Amino acid sequence: MNRFHQIVEFVNDLDKRWVFLVVGLAVVTSTIFRLTFPEIPTPMVRSVYEKVESLPEGSRVILPFDYDPASEPELQPMANAFVRLCAERNLKMYFIALWPLGQNMVAGVIDDILQTEYPHLEYGRDYMDFGYKSGNEGVVAVILTDIKKLYTTDAHGTAIDSIPMMAGVRNIRGFDLILTVSAGYPGLKEWIQYAGTPGNIPVAGGCTAVQAPLLYPYYPDQLVGLMGGIKAAAEFEALVAEAYPKFQEDKDRFLTALVRMGPQTVTHLAIIFFIVLGNITFQILRRKRQQEALKR
Amino acid sequence: MKRTIPLAITAIVGAVLVIAYFIPHPPFDGLREDFSIFFDIMATFAFILGGGNLIKMHGNRISRREEGWFFSLVTIVGFLLVLLVGLTKFGNPDGFRGSSVTASGSYFDHVYEYIFRPCGATMFALLAFYVASASFRAFRARNAEASILLLVAFIILLGRTFVGALLTSWLPDSLRFLTIPYLAEKIMVVLNFAGNRAIMIGIALGIVSTSLKVIIGIDRSYLGSD
Amino acid sequence: MRRQPARSPGCLDRHCLPSPTGYRSGRCGGPAALLPLLVLTIWALAGAGLARAQAGASDVSAGDTPSDRGESITVSWEPAPGDRLVDGTVTGYRILRSRSPEGPFEAIGQASPGAARYDDADVENGIDYFYRVETLSLEGAVRSPVIGPAVAQAQWINTNQWNVFVVLVLLLGFNIYYIESIRAGQKPFIRKIAGLEAVNEAVGRATEMGRPILFVPGIQDMNDIQTVAGITILGHIARTVAEYDSQLVVPTSRALVMTTARETVREAYLSVGRPDSYDENNIYYVTDEQFGYVAGVNGYMVRNKPATCFYMGAFFAESLILAETSNSIGAIQVAGTAMPAQLPFFVAACDYTLIGEELFAASAYLSGEPKQLGSIKGQDVGKFLGMVSIVLGVALLTLASVVGWEPLVQAAEFVREFWSTELA
């Protein structure tokens, strides 16, 4: 075997640690050099945005945050964008979590966004947090008919009846939108199946990119719009920033998905590079083997 | 008897819940939620079982000085420490009463913020590396089917980034159907939809069939017998 | 008996007022209605656009929401003429409710432009409620007459789900038919499932290498049917492992799954006469936390290098992390899941993958029992019905688009509705 074929063999069976190294470098360098690219919103993302924009002021929106720290890097930008848009539109936000750690995610957006950027919005009047309840889709099915059957207090232990924005709210049937951020089970699918469809409530939301293909079949009948992963979040941010130019001022704060798309794009290119490389070496070696077989 | 009773419970509960699906009138309307809550109560008690098993198993490893016993020690110490911090609400700004376990500034919150959160995100981030290594190994044009798979992977990968749009931006409007973002969207929305729906129909029927087998008592292997 | 929904005469309330009740007072039809009618006529003549803009929702009705547990009243209406997608002036509909036709009416909710119904789920059964729909537009608000009384009540049968009942009966019927016919001696054709054919080979390899076999039953609890399917497969694998006298390790992420798996494996060892080989410490709980569990299982793989890894159950993002790690230690991998999003990862990284329904068919396939095989055939008939419906629906709609015959569209819609669980 000549030297060329030795190299080809080496590349063909490349130790996966080399792949890891290149992917690592791709992420690190693109993060350091802060590469960003423009985003063109796709119809599914646009539908989510337009649905929120079409809601009259004071409409009730339930925001289930069904994710945890593991998927936070991918889902937090869209959660932030949802909350900002709802706050801009003066919609009443009801946060809820079916994942134990989802309540921490809710606490995060309340602290970092609502209390910091929208201090005029008041807890209990403009937004409230139901907190976490175990029971997965069971919780969704119950609150569709009777919220107080499960929730007598909010996440902070305040009696539900004493919260102004809960006055006259018995269940979520009268809500105008379910806007979820979901990383798996229970998540968007359960909100569609146990609340959106039986309760005739519009459902829109975002999920991890891996989960998105599973949810496409629900669009557009049972799902107003769907946002898969960081790319969709970046497109959503682009739409929000276009309508509310103040968000264009501080990219690091308001357009985090757009900033994170840089490393994703470069990593995709690195993966494409490896796929091309693997195929070239594979074809060279296959041809060599065929020639050797012919000689024999 | 040991199997008859569980089988009878399964059959009765299963049948009642199936019937309840078609009866919206009380008391049938709330049965599904009630059973779901019963399950949660049982699962909560099972936490004790799980915790007990964790301590027993790792305790044995430590006492026998088995290989990697040090990791078992870390596990037990971590488990007990977080349990203690959570139960006692150490460091909670409002004290033991009247405040949430996860109140901002509590030790539990610190554990979550500075240990749990970065560890979880790190594990999830591993996916990026594994996707790359799996793609390198799996996407080889070995035959016609594999070549199609490779082509589709290429279009989707490029279509999910700005580069896809850039590469085919020179195409005139009349050839828009050849642009990578358009192709990527069509693959996801048409081909992927169709394939996913077919799989989901099969899965739904499989679930119905398996559930019927379990309710009727045809499949008892989950009880340890055929 | 279900009450008929109360229905309004489609007149504009502002012209029915100032009746204190406005409630079917007959003012619209009586001589006193002449003046408003005159005003209406003048408006109509003055400009159709203006009249359109100021007309409210018409044909308002309110009645018990059908096929539910009660506690809900559906208010429906014909959207106002100004409620259009392009150049529309309507900004929404406000629903007002009262316990008395005289009022006072309080706003209970709002519907978006384009909406034609509102479900008031904040009502008690057996009590009279009265409604008004206020059309909100750029020109101002227009109230409908008072509608009612409407009473909510619970129903015994959910007629919306008749199609689900029919499908269920059909599937059950086919299952029983095929079970009986196979029992009677009919030989069913079941295609080979490579992943399950490989079980013996995979267990044998681990035995030869003197390494353990790892079984991961997904990360969901026992209330997930995929976990149940995984545990049934575990029972069959455990029997093979017991026969080969190899070592089977099952780390679980749920305590209840651990208990069930222990019982299943113990019974399997017992059934092949090797109860002494069973070690319950090999089936243990790791953690409920997804990635904590993955870290624990990966650690086991790297340290103990199992020769064979089975993944059977519900998986999420951890699927690829598990499969790639066991690939790196050279283990044979057989996966099975009904999570469509994870299937591509398993297909790319594992040697064999049971796709969706194959996971549920595995138990029957491995047992070879007539009763269980019959259920696979029943499942296939269900799939065939689905396929016929899809082809029929597509054909009907295609034909309708060519000949433009409305009944064809309705027939296609019926086929679609038949498979839909959406409540009407």
Side-chain angles (χ1 to χ4, degrees):
Chain A
M1 191 155 47
N2 60 29
R3 179 107 183 113
F4 172 70
H5 281 116
Q6 272 177 345
I7 294 170
V8 172
E9 286 269 9
F10 172 78
V11 174
N12 194 54
D13 302 323
L14 195 66
D15 190 317
K16 58 177 72 181
R17 280 171 293 192
W18 287 106
V19 180
F20 296 163
L21 181 70
V22 173
V23 170
L25 284 174
V27 174
V28 170
T29 48
S30 52
T31 308
I32 290 171
F33 291 107
R34 311 178 58 72
L35 294 174
T36 54
F37 306 96
E39 290 297 335
I40 302 156
T42 48
M44 271 198 253
V45 175
R46 199 175 276 280
S47 305
V48 180
Y49 171 78
E50 282 168 359
K51 180 67 198 175
V52 182
E53 275 284 327
S54 73
L55 293 175
E57 199 172 295
S59 297
R60 290 173 182 150
V61 180
I62 186 159
L63 290 132
F65 277 19
D66 302 326
Y67 64 104
D68 61 7
S71 42
E72 189 187 354
E74 190 177 8
L75 295 176
Q76 197 59 47
M78 72 173 73
N80 292 351
F82 284 167
V83 171
R84 284 197 179 102
L85 186 58
C86 288
E88 290 292 332
R89 300 279 315 151
N90 276 326
L91 306 176
K92 290 199 185 304
M93 291 172 265
Y94 297 78
F95 294 98
I96 193 168
L98 300 179
W99 289 35
L101 295 171
Q103 62 183 343
N104 295 60
M105 303 293 136
V106 173
V109 292
I110 290 177
D111 286 349
D112 301 342
I113 296 178
L114 293 174
Q115 288 180 355
T116 317
E117 297 171 24
Y118 301 91
H120 62 282
L121 297 182
E122 197 184 305
Y123 184 87
R125 192 196 64 191
D126 302 298
Y127 61 92
M128 65 158 292
D129 179 11
F130 283 113
Y132 161 75
K133 273 274 185 290
S134 67
N136 303 330
E137 64 270 29
V139 173
V140 184
V142 172
I143 64 169
L144 182 66
T145 52
D146 194 352
I147 291 175
K148 284 171 198 162
K149 199 170 172 184
L150 274 184
Y151 294 90
T152 49
T153 62
D154 71 351
H156 310 291
T158 312
I160 285 282
D161 290 328
S162 65
I163 296 173
M165 64 192 286
M166 281 302 289
V169 178
R170 188 166 160 197
N171 53 42
I172 60 167
R173 273 184 195 270
F175 278 53
D176 300 280
L177 181 65
I178 299 170
L179 191 58
T180 82
V181 183
S182 144
Y185 169 82
L188 186 47
K189 190 173 151 191
E190 283 65 37
W191 282 99
I192 297 170
Q193 290 179 340
Y194 293 90
T197 303
N200 209 11
I201 313 163
V203 185
C207 59
T208 55
V210 167
Q211 211 194 351
L214 185 70
L215 296 162
Y216 284 142
Y218 294 104
Y219 173 82
D221 285 347
Q222 290 159 281
L223 195 54
V224 174
L226 177 67
M227 294 169 44
I230 204 84
K231 176 158 170 35
E235 292 170 12
F236 193 81
E237 281 181 353
L239 283 167
V240 176
E242 193 185 321
Y244 305 92
K246 66 175 180 181
F247 292 130
Q248 291 171 11
E249 288 162 14
D250 189 350
K251 268 190 185 177
D252 284 336
R253 188 169 170 192
F254 300 122
L255 305 178
T256 45
L258 213 64
V259 171
R260 288 176 200 191
M261 267 308 285
Q264 174 157 317
T265 303
V266 178
T267 310
H268 273 210
L269 292 177
I271 293 173
I272 289 170
F273 165 74
F274 276 115
I275 294 175
V276 172
L277 194 69
N279 274 283
I280 292 170
T281 55
F282 177 74
Q283 295 304 336
I284 293 171
L285 290 175
R286 183 154 80 167
R287 210 164 159 180
K288 182 176 160 254
R289 273 194 292 272
Q290 281 169 350
Q291 281 169 353
E292 281 171 0
L294 277 176
K295 275 182 202 165
R296 268 188 255 125
Chain B
M1 194 58 127
K2 199 182 156 200
R3 277 194 203 117
T4 314
I5 292 172
L7 279 173
I9 294 173
T10 310
I12 293 166
V13 173
V16 167
L17 286 180
V18 169
I19 293 166
Y21 183 77
F22 301 99
I23 306 177
H25 203 285
F28 293 93
D29 62 325
L31 279 183
R32 195 162 67 163
E33 288 83 47
D34 291 343
F35 275 91
S36 171
I37 291 167
F38 289 158
F39 180 82
D40 288 336
I41 294 168
M42 282 194 285
T44 309
F45 280 107
F47 270 120
I48 301 167
L49 195 72
N53 176 259
L54 188 97
I55 291 177
K56 184 185 157 202
M57 208 188 82
H58 289 281
N60 283 344
R61 273 195 199 154
I62 296 166
S63 65
R64 288 186 207 138
R65 290 284 192 278
E66 280 180 22
E67 194 188 345
W69 66 271
F70 182 73
F71 297 114
S72 293
L73 186 67
V74 173
T75 305
I76 288 188
V77 169
F79 174 75
L80 293 176
L81 210 64
V82 177
L83 192 69
L84 188 74
V85 165
L87 287 176
T88 55
K89 298 186 182 176
F90 266 141
N92 273 34
D94 306 325
F96 182 74
R97 281 165 180 265
S99 70
S100 156
V101 177
T102 54
S104 184
S106 65
Y107 286 7
F108 193 84
D109 184 53
H110 288 323
V111 169
Y112 164 79
E113 194 68 32
Y114 302 114
I115 300 175
F116 191 85
R117 202 163 138 167
C119 284
T122 306
M123 286 299 291
F124 192 52
L126 281 180
L127 264 181
F129 297 89
Y130 285 133
V131 163
S133 65
S135 307
F136 178 61
R137 205 178 58 248
F139 291 127
R140 302 275 167 102
R142 291 187 175 89
N143 49 39
E145 290 95 332
S147 304
I148 294 170
L149 188 73
L150 177 67
L151 182 71
V152 171
F154 245 92
I155 294 169
I156 299 293
L157 272 169
L158 284 172
R160 296 288 295 174
T161 63
F162 175 66
V163 181
L166 197 74
L167 279 176
T168 47
S169 58
W170 53 273
L171 281 168
D173 262 3
S174 56
L175 294 176
R176 195 178 146 260
F177 63 93
L178 287 177
T179 57
I180 288 176
Y182 182 86
L183 286 173
E185 195 198 323
K186 286 295 164 207
I187 288 168
M188 292 300 278
V189 174
V190 180
L191 301 180
N192 174 61
F193 258 39
N196 247 327
R197 279 194 169 138
I199 292 174
M200 281 163 86
I201 289 170
I203 289 170
L205 288 165
I207 289 174
V208 173
S209 189
T210 305
S211 304
L212 284 176
K213 277 192 290 181
V214 171
I215 291 171
I216 297 170
I218 293 173
D219 190 346
R220 304 164 179 198
S221 35
Y222 68 98
L223 290 174
S225 65
D226 281 339
Chain C
M1 204 175 83
R2 191 185 302 165
R3 293 198 194 188
Q4 287 298 313
R7 199 163 276 280
S8 79
C11 67
L12 292 176
D13 180 55
R14 60 167 55 179
H15 307 298
C16 293
L17 291 173
S19 153
T21 64
Y23 164 59
R24 296 190 174 188
S25 61
R27 287 183 72 100
C28 288
L34 276 177
L35 185 65
L37 271 176
L38 187 66
V39 176
L40 238 180
T41 316
I42 294 167
W43 267 9
L45 291 172
L50 182 66
R52 261 205 315 272
Q54 301 220 338
S58 58
D59 226 7
V60 183
S61 66
D64 177 37
T65 308
S67 296
D68 68 352
R69 54 180 271 174
E71 300 173 356
S72 175
I73 288 174
T74 300
V75 182
S76 51
W77 59 88
E78 274 297 313
D83 187 355
R84 297 183 302 271
L85 203 60
V86 182
D87 301 333
T89 51
V90 171
T91 54
Y93 299 93
R94 187 179 293 144
I95 318 301
L96 310 165
R97 187 186 65 195
S98 172
R99 296 277 288 271
S100 151
E102 284 82 20
F105 281 85
E106 58 164 342
I108 52 155
Q110 202 163 319
S112 306
R117 64 178 274 178
Y118 178 86
D119 288 335
D120 176 10
D122 189 23
V123 293
E124 286 174 40
N125 286 351
I127 292 174
D128 288 355
Y129 289 96
F130 299 85
Y131 291 90
R132 310 183 78 166
V133 175
E134 192 174 56
T135 307
L136 308 170
S137 72
L138 298 174
E139 284 78 18
V142 184
R143 282 186 176 186
S144 75
V146 177
I147 304 304
V151 183
Q153 59 186 35
Q155 277 83 47
W156 279 102
I157 301 291
N158 185 351
T159 49
N160 287 339
Q161 302 291 350
W162 68 270
N163 54 338
V164 179
F165 183 73
V166 171
V167 171
L168 190 72
V169 169
L170 279 176
L171 284 178
L172 191 62
F174 286 129
N175 269 298
I176 292 169
Y177 169 76
Y178 281 104
I179 288 167
E180 290 307 318
S181 61
I182 291 171
R183 261 184 184 165
Q186 201 183 72
K187 286 255 179 273
F189 168 74
I190 306 283
R191 72 179 164 84
K192 291 241 179 272
I193 301 177
L196 296 175
E197 291 289 311
V199 166
N200 280 351
E201 173 206 335
V203 174
R205 180 175 181 259
T207 314
E208 278 169 21
M209 295 171 82
R211 288 204 213 149
I213 293 150
L214 182 74
F215 187 97
V216 182
I219 63 162
Q220 289 298 301
D221 219 323
M222 284 311 297
N223 59 340
D224 192 307
I225 195 78
Q226 294 186 64
T227 313
V228 176
I231 293 291
T232 58
I233 298 169
L234 171 67
H236 295 288
I237 292 173
R239 199 164 302 134
T240 315
V241 172
E243 279 165 2
Y244 281 83
D245 204 16
S246 197
Q247 190 193 3
L248 177 67
V249 176
V250 187
T252 70
S253 80
R254 308 282 167 154
L256 283 181
V257 178
M258 175 189 77
T259 317
T260 319
R262 278 183 173 177
E263 191 68 14
T264 306
V265 174
R266 197 170 59 83
E267 289 289 334
Y269 274 73
L270 204 64
S271 69
V272 295
R274 290 215 162 132
D276 298 343
S277 305
Y278 170 70
D279 180 3
E280 73 165 19
N281 290 326
N282 284 334
I283 301 162
Y284 57 92
Y285 168 78
V286 181
T287 167
D288 273 48
E289 215 289 315
Q290 182 186 19
F291 289 113
Y293 176 70
V294 177
V297 176
N298 274 6
Y300 176 83
M301 283 185 200
V302 173
R303 285 191 299 273
N304 299 286
K305 299 198 167 34
T308 303
C309 297
F310 290 100
Y311 309 107
M312 301 284 172
F315 290 89
F316 294 85
E318 70 284 353
S319 61
L320 187 67
I321 301 178
L322 292 171
E324 271 297 284
T325 306
S326 61
N327 178 275
S328 70
I329 56 164
I332 282 193
Q333 301 187 82
V334 185
T337 186
M339 304 300 289
Q342 305 309 320
L343 282 169
F345 295 129
F346 276 143
V347 170
C350 295
D351 300 282
Y352 303 98
T353 305
L354 305 181
I355 296 173
E357 65 196 287
E358 290 177 342
L359 172 73
F360 299 112
S363 176
Y365 187 95
L366 288 168
S367 73
E369 267 198 10
K371 281 189 287 186
Q372 298 218 38
L373 291 176
S375 71
I376 298 185
K377 297 305 283 183
Q379 192 179 322
D380 281 352
V381 175
K383 214 190 305 178
F384 177 72
L385 283 179
M387 281 154 63
V388 169
S389 302
I390 291 170
V391 173
L392 188 68
V394 170
L396 284 169
L397 275 181
T398 310
L399 202 62
S401 69
V402 175
V403 298
W405 198 39
E406 186 59 25
L408 287 175
V409 180
Q410 284 167 2
E413 191 58 27
F414 174 78
V415 175
R416 195 185 74 83
E417 289 279 319
F418 182 75
W419 291 100
S420 168
T421 54
E422 201 171 329
L423 295 182

